[in-house]
């Protein structure tokens, strides 16, 4: 028995390979033969001819011949449902199975495809012939009618499988096309109704079917034999048609070659035409660009004459400015990116750039030389005219309005010179600074000399701490305010002038510094006296030509260049300020305080970048004033130290009240930020005074305490009012107060012990023993018995009023300041009562049975004296 193709594993694997990538699984595959049968349109008289397949003759073609195919049943799992597909596959030329489905609809005239098994083993795949069980043919027909509505007449444009969907135990079968027409179906039903099939007798029915099958096959063979002449005619016609087609193919090949040659010729012509057209456009554009480039090369003759041989005068300035603007524009036009980089290296462009460079160099050299001579000539004219400076009895303020006006006429020319060649500005700036420096120094020197000559002041005492007290009082009445007024006037006139000159110089000679304050707009305190025309810089062209450069955040150069130029511009003028400071400090050293405050006020008001040198000048003045004042303070400290050699330890030292007078005058001169300077002087003076007091007190210990308390008291009394308003003096006031209290304590204790030494020494011995033994044991110690206590009381307190009077006389005898005696005597009585009260408490604790004078009795006695 032959093996069924349904069991062929190799066939199944080939089918799986053909549908690889579709997620389908092959369940069953069989080899079959595909063929078509023709349904007859005649009546039902010949049933065999109607149902039998009639193969087409060979002359008609190979379309209806039997073809080998493979039918495969595939499944696809989709969720909980299983979908079945019927696929038809064919063999390729290499014998490889391809996934090819040919189940598309056929026309009504043709019967549907017939699939024939190769052998009985394929047919009886389950071991028996398939049969229909439990259904009648009539019922099948009725079922077909009911399901006719579910069929579709749409023809598939692609081969596709017939799908069988199984869901929840029910089957749904979709038939894509009716196998027979409605009329043929009715003929079959009528035939089946008149024919006794005998289905109940299986053997008879089977025999009858076999006989009918043989008759049907015989009829098919007979039909084939009858159509042989027709097939021959068809074959002959096909041969003739084939020859005609071959001839046509030859002609078409010839025409195709000719057409191809024509296409190539047309394409070549179009290409050449496009190139010519592009060349024409490019030549036109090149001519336009070259015309523009030639225009850039043209140098107007009027500009050439102006830049090479013209004279620099006021009337021609505008012409020079226009020539510079054209030259700058022409040079920029020949540079990348204003000029395309392709043209930048052309010989003609390089030659024209070199020609313009020579023109630029010639003009810059001529203009620089003219401006240097112009600056020097203008300043020399002003220096030679004495009316510009202060004279005897006439203090004249410097006026640079005319100078700036004449300079501003060339401001725009300087701007263009910088655009053309910024390297030439180094020499121009030096020439301007050198010329103007001579003028400024001459003006400052003449102004300072006239200030000193016109100031009429009396010279106060120079040795404030050595002069008599009366002289110190007369020194306070000397008015030296003219000295401060002269210095303030010097700063009021020249600080704004120097700041304006610095700012004008920075603008006029083109220092690119963002936020630079124009001259006359510094915001200083004395700006109300400045020239009105200083605010008209824009009208004269001192601002930048292109304002947008200042607003676009243009990178500013280093300020070091400006500071170096300002150093050259103003160097040396500080000497005249130093001379004025030395003169003021020589007349009245205390005026350094007011000078320092005035300088600090001007220094804090200078914020602009152009005022850099002015800030340095004011800083140097401030340092010099501080140095002069510190020299005066150091000299005063030396005076105090020198007094140590000749001073006597009697009464109050003279420099203490003189320092109070000095401090009072110093407070009158304080202005602004000079408080720190004065406080530092106070600290030096008082520190030296206190150290000197302590050193003098150590030379004679016998009078040291009285000497200290009198001087510390005098210091407090003389500085009481100032200490209430000056924090630094308040600190030293409290220090002197503590030293006074300590000196009083030591001196009063000495006086008390001198009269009552035995009494209080007895109390001290008791206090010392109480640290080592109990109070009950003290009366049994040597020298501390009750008898010893009675002896001490008798010797010390008998005639106690005389002893107290002796204390008062001794206190009065050593004092030179009578105003201190009452307060000291009160302190002495209080100190004695405190000591006696302590003694009485010890006696009550150690000797409870002994009787001593009560503290109240002693207080009443002291009060009565």
């Amino acid at each position: 028995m032959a093996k069924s193709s349904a069991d062929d594993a190799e066939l199944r694997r080939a089918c799986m390979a053909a549908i690889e990538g579709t997620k389908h699984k092959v369940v069953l595959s069989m080899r079959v033969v595909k063929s078509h049968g023709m349904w007859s349109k005649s009546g039902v008289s010949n049933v065999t001819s109607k149902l039998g397949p009639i193969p087409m003759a060979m002359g008609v073609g190979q379309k209806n011949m039997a073809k080998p195919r493979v039918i495969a049943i595939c499944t696809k799992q989709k969720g909980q449902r299983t979908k079945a597909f019927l696929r038809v596959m064919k063999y390729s030329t290499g014998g490889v199975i391809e996934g090819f489905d040919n189940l598309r609809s056929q026309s009504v005239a043709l019967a549907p495809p017939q699939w024939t098994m190769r052998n009985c083993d394929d047919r009886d795949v389950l071991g028996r012939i398939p049969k229909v069980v439990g259904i009648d043919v009539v019922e099948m027909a009725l079922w077909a009618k009911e399901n006719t509505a579910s069929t579709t007449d749409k023809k598939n444009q692609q081969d596709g499988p017939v799908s069988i969907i199984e869901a929840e135990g029910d089957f749904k079968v979709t038939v894509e096309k009716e196998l027979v027409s409605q009329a043929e179906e009715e003929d079959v039903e009528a035939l089946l109704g008149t024919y006794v099939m005998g289905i109940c007798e299986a053997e008879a029915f089977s025999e009858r079917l076999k006989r009918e099958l043989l008759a049907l096959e015989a009829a098919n063979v007979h039909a084939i034999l009858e159509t042989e002449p027709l097939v021959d005619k068809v074959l002959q016609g096909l041969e003739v048609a084939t020859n005609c087609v071959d001839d046509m193919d030859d002609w078409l090949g010839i025409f195709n070659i000719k057409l191809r040659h024509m296409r190539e010729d047309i394409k070549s012509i179009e290409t050449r035409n496009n190139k010519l057209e592009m060349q024409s456009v490019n030549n036109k554009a090149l001519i336009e660009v070259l015309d523009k480039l030639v225009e850039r090369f043209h140098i107007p003759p009027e500009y050439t004459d102006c830049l090479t041989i013209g004279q620099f005068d006021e009337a021609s300035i505008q012409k020079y400015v226009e020539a510079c603007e054209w030259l700058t524009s022409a040079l920029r036009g020949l540079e990348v990116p204003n000029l395309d980089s392709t043209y930048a290296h052309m010989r003609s462009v390089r030659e024209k750039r070199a020609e313009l460079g020579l023109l630029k160099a010639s003009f810059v050299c001529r203009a620089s030389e003219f401006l240097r001579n112009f600056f020097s000539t203008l300043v020399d004219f002003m220096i030679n005219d004495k009316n510009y400076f202060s004279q005897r009895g006439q203090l004249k303020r410097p006026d640079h309005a005319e100078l700036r006006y004449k300079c501003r006429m060339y401001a725009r020319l300087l701007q263009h010179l910088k655009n053309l060649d910024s390297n030439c500005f180094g020499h121009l700036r030096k020439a301007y600074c050198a010329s103007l420096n001579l003028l400024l120094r001459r003006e400052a020197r003449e102004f300072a000399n006239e200030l000193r000559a016109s100031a009429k002041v009396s010279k106060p005492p120079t040795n404030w701490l050595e002069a008599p007290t009366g002289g110190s009082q007369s020194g306070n009445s000397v008015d030296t305010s003219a000295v401060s007024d002269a210095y303030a006037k010097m700063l009021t006139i020249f600080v704004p002038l120097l700041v304006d000159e610095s700012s004008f110089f920075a603008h006029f000679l083109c220092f690119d510094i963002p936020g630079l304050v124009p001259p006359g707009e510094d915001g200083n305190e004395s700006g109300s006296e400045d020239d009105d025309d200083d605010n008209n810089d824009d009208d004269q062209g001192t601002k930048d030509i292109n304002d947008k450069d200042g607003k676009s955040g243009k990178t500013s150069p280093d300020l070091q260049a400006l500071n170096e130029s300002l150093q050259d511009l103003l160097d040396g003028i500080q000497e005249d300020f130093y001379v004025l400071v030395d003169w003021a400090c020589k007349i009245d050293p205390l005026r350094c305080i007011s000078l320092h405050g005035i300088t600090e006020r001007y220094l804090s008001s200078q914020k602009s970048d152009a005022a850099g040198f002015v800030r340095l000048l004011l800083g140097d003045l401030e340092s010099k004033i501080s140095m002069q004042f510190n020299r005066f303070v150091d000299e005063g400290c030396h005076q105090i130290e020198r007094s140590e050699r000749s001073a006597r330890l009697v009464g109050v030292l003279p420099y203490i009240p003189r320092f109070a007078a000095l401090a009072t005058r110093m407070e009158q001169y304080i202005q602004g930020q000079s408080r720190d300077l004065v406080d530092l002087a106070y600290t030096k003076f008082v520190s030296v005074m206190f150290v000197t007091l302590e050193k003098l007190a150590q030379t004679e210990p016998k009078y040291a305490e009285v000497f200290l308390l009198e001087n510390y008291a005098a210091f407090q009394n003389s500085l009481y009012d100032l200490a209430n308003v000056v924090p630094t003096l308040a600190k030293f006031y409290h220090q002197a107060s503590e030293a006074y209290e300590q000196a009083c304590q030591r001196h009063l204790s000495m006086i008390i012990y001198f009269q009552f030494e035995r009494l209080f020494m007895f109390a001290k011995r008791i206090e010392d023993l109480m640290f080592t033994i109990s109070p009950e044991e003290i009366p049994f110690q040597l020298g501390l018995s009750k008898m010893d206590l009675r002896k001490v009381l008798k010797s010390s307190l008998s005639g106690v009023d005389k002893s107290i009077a002796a204390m008062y006389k001794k206190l009065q005898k050593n004092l030179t300041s009578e105003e201190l005696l009452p307060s000291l005597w009160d302190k002495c009585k209080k100190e004695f009562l405190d000591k006696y009260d302590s003694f009485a408490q010890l006696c009550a604790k150690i000797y409870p049975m002994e009787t001593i004078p009560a503290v109240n009795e002693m207080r009443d006695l002291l009060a009565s004296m």
Side-chain angles (χ1 to χ4, degrees):
M1 187 178 186
K3 183 179 179 181
S4 174
S5 60
D7 300 327
D8 192 348
E10 292 295 335
L11 179 61
R12 191 176 303 173
R13 280 195 293 271
C15 294
M16 286 293 292
I19 62 172
E20 184 178 2
T22 60
K23 298 183 180 180
H24 289 189
K25 180 179 181 184
V26 177
V27 178
L28 179 65
S29 60
M30 291 186 187
R31 293 185 179 91
V32 297
V33 176
K34 178 182 179 183
S35 61
H36 288 273
M38 180 66 67
W39 293 89
S40 176
K41 297 185 180 180
S42 60
V44 296
S45 59
N46 194 348
V47 179
T48 303
S49 62
K50 292 193 320 185
L51 298 177
I54 304 176
M56 297 296 294
M58 294 298 293
V60 178
Q62 299 290 332
K63 181 177 181 181
N64 295 324
M65 293 180 63
K67 300 174 183 178
R69 293 290 187 264
V70 176
I71 292 180
I73 298 177
C74 306
T75 60
K76 179 180 180 183
Q77 194 74 22
K78 190 173 183 181
Q80 296 181 354
R81 297 189 304 167
T82 302
K83 192 172 183 180
F85 297 91
L86 181 62
R87 288 185 175 271
V88 179
M89 303 181 184
K90 69 176 182 177
Y91 290 92
S92 64
T93 55
V96 181
I97 295 177
E98 296 180 348
F100 173 75
D101 294 333
N102 192 15
L103 293 179
R104 75 182 93 180
S105 302
Q106 303 295 327
S107 62
V108 178
L110 294 176
Q114 295 180 355
W115 309 95
T116 305
M117 305 297 179
R118 297 188 310 154
N119 50 46
C120 293
D121 293 322
D122 286 343
R123 184 191 66 185
D124 302 334
V125 66
L126 300 178
R128 64 181 182 275
I129 298 175
K131 63 172 79 171
V132 180
V133 180
I135 189 168
D136 188 67
V137 176
V138 178
E139 293 178 357
M140 292 177 62
L142 295 175
W143 177 85
K145 286 184 178 181
E146 293 175 357
N147 291 276
T148 301
S150 64
T151 63
T152 177
D153 294 337
K154 183 179 179 180
K155 294 183 180 180
N156 295 327
Q157 299 300 322
Q158 297 179 351
D159 298 332
V162 178
S163 61
I164 304 173
I165 304 174
E166 178 183 350
E168 300 178 358
D170 295 332
F171 293 92
K172 180 179 180 182
V173 181
T174 302
V175 181
E176 296 184 356
K177 192 70 176 178
E178 293 181 353
L179 298 179
V180 295
S181 64
Q182 185 67 27
E184 292 173 340
E185 183 179 353
E186 292 175 356
D187 293 341
V188 172
E189 288 180 359
L191 177 61
L192 292 176
T194 60
Y195 186 76
V196 180
M197 298 181 66
I199 296 178
C200 296
E201 299 177 3
E203 294 294 336
F205 183 70
S206 177
E207 290 295 332
R208 187 174 66 223
L209 287 179
K210 289 180 180 180
R211 290 193 301 270
E212 291 178 357
L213 177 61
L214 292 176
L216 183 59
E217 289 178 353
N220 289 337
V221 172
H222 183 268
I224 291 173
L225 293 176
E226 287 181 349
T227 58
E228 182 177 0
L230 298 176
V231 172
D232 292 338
K233 292 181 180 180
V234 172
L235 290 175
Q236 292 176 2
L238 288 175
E239 185 175 0
V240 173
T242 301
N243 294 332
C244 293
V245 169
D246 292 338
D247 294 339
M248 183 62 69
D249 185 58
D250 294 339
W251 280 104
L252 290 176
I254 294 172
F255 285 130
N256 187 28
I257 292 173
K258 292 182 178 182
L259 289 175
R260 185 172 68 247
H261 290 168
M262 291 179 66
R263 284 196 298 269
E264 292 176 355
D265 294 340
I266 293 172
K267 183 177 180 181
S268 176
I269 293 172
E270 289 179 351
T271 302
R272 290 196 300 270
N273 186 30
N274 292 337
K275 289 181 179 179
L276 290 175
E277 185 178 356
M278 181 62 69
Q279 185 177 1
S280 175
V281 173
N282 290 337
N283 289 337
K284 183 178 179 181
L286 179 60
I287 291 173
E288 293 178 357
V289 173
L290 291 176
D291 288 341
K292 293 180 181 179
L293 194 59
V294 169
E295 290 179 4
R296 295 183 181 182
F297 290 169
H298 177 65
I299 302 177
E302 64 273 14
Y303 291 156
T304 304
D305 296 340
C306 180
L307 294 173
T308 54
I309 60 176
Q311 296 296 325
F312 292 93
D313 52 14
E314 297 180 5
S316 304
I317 291 299
Q318 185 60 32
K319 182 174 62 174
Y320 281 107
V321 170
E322 293 176 357
C324 289
E325 290 178 350
W326 174 87
L327 181 58
T328 303
S329 176
L331 288 170
R332 289 177 178 174
L334 296 179
E335 298 291 342
V336 178
N338 297 321
L339 181 66
D340 191 277
S341 58
T342 306
Y343 309 123
H345 301 288
M346 293 176 60
R347 186 178 66 179
S348 58
V349 174
R350 287 187 279 109
E351 291 176 354
K352 181 56 64 173
R353 191 185 299 122
E355 181 182 355
L356 292 178
L358 293 175
L359 191 62
K360 178 190 73 173
S362 174
F363 174 74
V364 169
C365 182
R366 292 177 58 249
S368 299
E369 183 179 1
F370 166 75
L371 289 173
R372 289 196 298 269
N373 295 332
F374 170 75
F375 296 150
S376 177
T377 303
L378 182 61
V379 172
D380 289 344
F381 173 77
M382 296 180 66
I383 289 177
N384 295 328
D385 189 353
K386 294 183 179 180
N387 294 326
Y388 280 101
F389 307 104
S390 299
Q391 301 178 21
R392 177 67 64 181
Q394 182 182 3
L395 194 63
K396 184 175 180 61
R397 173 183 175 174
D399 185 3
H400 291 179
E402 185 178 357
L403 172 68
R404 294 180 186 176
Y405 175 78
K406 291 182 178 180
C407 289
R408 288 192 186 104
M409 291 189 300
Y410 299 95
R412 292 182 64 83
L413 181 62
L414 283 170
Q415 289 281 352
H416 289 291
L417 280 178
K418 182 178 181 182
N419 294 334
L420 292 173
D421 185 7
S422 59
N423 295 326
C424 70
F425 265 65
H427 300 292
L428 284 176
R429 289 166 179 169
K430 288 185 178 296
Y432 181 87
C433 292
S435 300
L436 195 63
N437 180 261
L438 295 175
L439 178 63
L440 291 174
R441 292 183 63 180
R442 172 76 179 275
E443 290 172 340
R445 182 167 58 255
E446 298 294 343
F447 195 86
N449 292 339
E450 182 58 26
L451 280 176
R452 286 182 293 166
S454 60
K456 305 297 182 181
V457 293
S458 299
K459 188 175 181 180
T462 55
N463 298 330
W464 283 88
L465 300 178
E466 288 184 347
T469 305
S472 175
Q473 297 294 335
S474 62
N476 283 336
S477 62
V478 176
D479 185 12
T480 59
S481 59
V483 173
S484 299
D485 294 341
Y487 179 77
K489 192 163 189 178
M490 184 75 175
L491 293 186
T492 301
I493 297 300
F494 275 89
V495 167
L497 175 66
L498 297 181
V499 173
D500 283 352
E501 287 299 331
S502 301
S503 182
F504 176 79
F505 169 72
H507 282 83
F508 179 59
L509 289 172
C510 308
F511 286 92
D512 293 331
I513 301 176
L516 191 65
V517 180
E521 299 179 8
D522 318 318
N524 56 63
E525 296 177 3
S526 307
S528 59
E529 300 180 9
D530 294 344
D531 297 328
D532 295 335
D533 63 339
D534 289 346
N535 298 324
N536 299 325
D537 297 320
D538 192 35
D539 296 337
Q540 301 297 333
T542 56
K543 290 188 177 180
D544 199 350
I545 297 175
N546 298 319
D547 293 338
K548 61 182 180 181
D549 293 342
K551 299 178 182 178
S552 60
K554 184 178 179 181
T555 304
S556 63
D558 191 1
L559 287 178
Q560 183 178 359
L562 175 60
N563 292 331
E564 291 176 356
S565 298
L566 291 178
Q567 181 76 23
D568 296 336
L569 178 67
L570 305 176
D571 189 31
I573 197 173
Q574 64 270 21
E575 299 299 331
D576 298 301
F577 287 87
Y578 294 162
V579 169
L580 193 63
V581 169
D582 294 338
W583 167 75
C585 295
K586 186 177 181 181
I587 293 178
D588 185 2
L590 295 182
R591 281 292 168 182
C592 290
I593 301 173
S594 58
L595 300 186
H596 186 276
I598 295 170
T599 307
E600 179 65 30
R601 185 174 72 251
Y602 275 93
L603 183 60
S604 61
S605 65
Q606 305 305 319
K607 303 297 182 183
S608 64
D609 292 326
F613 183 82
V614 178
R615 288 198 299 270
L616 292 177
L617 171 63
L618 293 174
D620 292 342
L621 286 174
E622 188 178 38
S623 299
K624 187 171 184 63
I625 293 170
S626 300
M627 182 184 66
Q628 293 281 10
F629 185 70
N630 289 333
R631 185 181 300 170
F632 164 75
V633 173
D634 293 340
E635 181 62 27
C637 292
H638 292 325
Q639 294 175 14
I640 296 173
E641 292 173 348
R642 286 195 298 267
S643 66
E644 177 184 352
R645 304 171 186 172
S646 58
R648 296 177 55 194
L649 295 185
V650 178
V652 178
L653 293 176
Y655 59 72
I656 289 182
R658 293 170 190 165
F659 172 74
L662 177 64
T664 302
R665 189 173 180 88
M666 290 170 66
E667 289 297 320
Q668 296 173 357
Y669 293 159
I670 291 179
Q671 295 183 16
Q673 301 294 326
S674 55
R675 164 56 61 190
D676 295 338
L677 183 70
V678 174
D679 288 345
L680 182 61
Y682 288 159
T683 302
K684 287 184 178 180
F685 278 133
V686 176
S687 298
V688 172
M689 288 166 57
F690 286 176
V691 170
T692 303
L693 276 178
E694 296 294 337
K695 287 183 179 180
L696 287 173
Q698 292 175 4
T699 58
E700 294 187 21
K702 180 178 180 181
Y703 303 105
E705 309 305 335
V706 176
F707 175 74
L708 289 175
L709 67 88
E710 284 186 335
N711 281 275
Y712 282 126
F715 181 86
Q716 296 179 74
N717 293 334
S718 61
L719 292 176
Y720 177 78
D721 294 333
L722 289 177
N724 288 328
V725 294
V726 181
T728 301
L729 292 179
K731 180 183 68 173
F732 292 115
Y733 181 91
H734 292 302
Q735 183 178 344
S737 178
E738 292 177 1
Y740 170 78
E741 293 295 335
Q742 293 174 3
C744 287
Q745 180 71 24
R746 293 192 298 269
H747 183 61
L748 295 178
S749 296
M750 183 268 294
I751 292 177
I752 292 172
Y753 272 94
F754 182 80
Q755 295 295 331
F756 299 96
E757 180 179 10
R758 188 176 180 185
L759 177 68
F760 294 121
M761 287 301 297
F762 187 83
K764 188 175 184 304
R765 291 179 59 193
I766 295 174
E767 291 176 350
D768 294 340
L769 286 175
M770 289 182 70
F771 291 105
T772 57
I773 62 177
S774 62
E776 293 79 7
E777 298 177 0
I778 292 178
F780 301 100
Q781 301 297 318
L782 182 63
L784 296 176
S785 63
K786 296 180 180 179
M787 185 61 67
D788 294 329
L789 174 63
R790 296 188 189 103
K791 291 180 180 180
V792 169
L793 291 175
K794 183 177 180 180
S795 62
S796 300
L797 297 181
S798 58
V800 64
D801 52 346
K802 295 180 180 180
S803 298
I804 294 175
M807 280 196 311
Y808 180 79
K809 290 180 180 180
K810 188 172 182 63
L811 180 64
Q812 184 181 25
K813 177 182 177 182
N814 295 329
L815 284 177
T816 58
S817 301
E818 293 295 333
E819 62 272 10
L820 296 178
L821 183 60
S823 61
L824 287 177
W825 177 238
D826 291 339
K827 287 180 178 292
C828 183
K829 292 189 291 185
K830 183 178 182 304
E831 183 71 17
F832 175 76
L833 284 176
D834 291 341
K835 293 181 178 295
Y836 186 78
D837 185 27
S838 299
F839 174 76
Q841 291 179 8
L842 285 174
C843 291
K845 187 175 183 180
I846 305 301
Y847 310 101
M849 303 304 297
E850 296 296 325
T851 302
I852 63 175
V855 176
N856 292 332
E857 295 179 2
M858 196 65 66
R859 181 178 294 107
D860 295 340
L861 178 62
L862 290 172
S864 63
M865 297 184 68

